[in-house]
Amino acid sequence: GALEMDVEETSDPLFIGQETECLVTIINRDLRPVHDLQVTAHVPSLFRILSHEVREGTNVLPIPARVEGSTVKFDPVDLLAPDGELSFRIQAKALRAGTETFQIEVTSDEETVGPIRLEEISTVAK
């Protein structure tokens, strides 16, 4: 499709009490802009969500997000230009040991996008 996407965790494996960041990178490889791009992240129950933000390059965008339990739902980004890149960041703290999956869903009003699902396995050691 039009979007190139990647999800990664900055620290894996990690130990109880440590923090990690789930980073979702989205690049528009199409010649047309993508409108109303929305990202929803389901954070493993092993973690407590500490913060979240959206960046375009080094600029933090004023895109709010709602946290409901272990889900972070970012408000839609109005426009992702051709060759534009966005980073959705979720900072979390490990609460207990185990292995679970960060699940990311990306949707848009564009017919060429979505819904797309990405997963990243996360391990917390004792």
Side-chain angles (χ1 to χ4, degrees):
L3 300 179
E4 178 181 315
M5 296 185 297
D6 186 47
V7 60
E8 64 179 294
E9 190 179 348
T10 58
S11 301
D12 189 29
L14 66 156
F15 296 94
I16 295 171
Q18 290 183 313
E19 295 179 11
T20 189
E21 181 177 74
C22 179
L23 174 61
V24 179
T25 305
I26 301 173
I27 302 171
N28 182 4
R29 296 294 185 198
D30 202 332
L31 298 175
R32 296 169 294 173
V34 174
H35 298 275
D36 296 320
L37 186 73
Q38 187 166 31
V39 171
T40 302
H42 303 282
V43 178
S45 64
L46 306 173
F47 297 96
R48 181 177 75 236
I49 299 165
L50 300 175
S51 64
H52 47 77
E53 68 180 15
V54 181
R55 290 186 185 183
E56 185 172 35
T58 58
N59 298 324
V60 176
L61 300 179
I63 305 293
R66 293 182 311 281
V67 178
E68 297 173 5
S70 61
T71 299
V72 180
K73 187 170 187 172
F74 292 92
D75 281 3
V77 176
D78 292 335
L79 178 79
L80 179 57
D83 291 323
E85 181 175 330
L86 295 172
S87 299
F88 295 79
R89 299 167 178 266
I90 301 168
Q91 197 76 19
K93 183 175 184 174
L95 300 177
R96 61 183 176 81
T99 299
E100 292 184 11
T101 304
F102 277 99
Q103 297 176 338
I104 310 298
E105 183 176 324
V106 179
T107 59
S108 171
D109 286 348
E110 304 294 325
E111 291 180 13
T112 58
V113 178
I116 302 164
R117 290 179 180 80
L118 301 170
E119 294 185 345
E120 175 72 14
I121 296 173
S122 180
T123 301
V124 177
K126 292 182 181 180

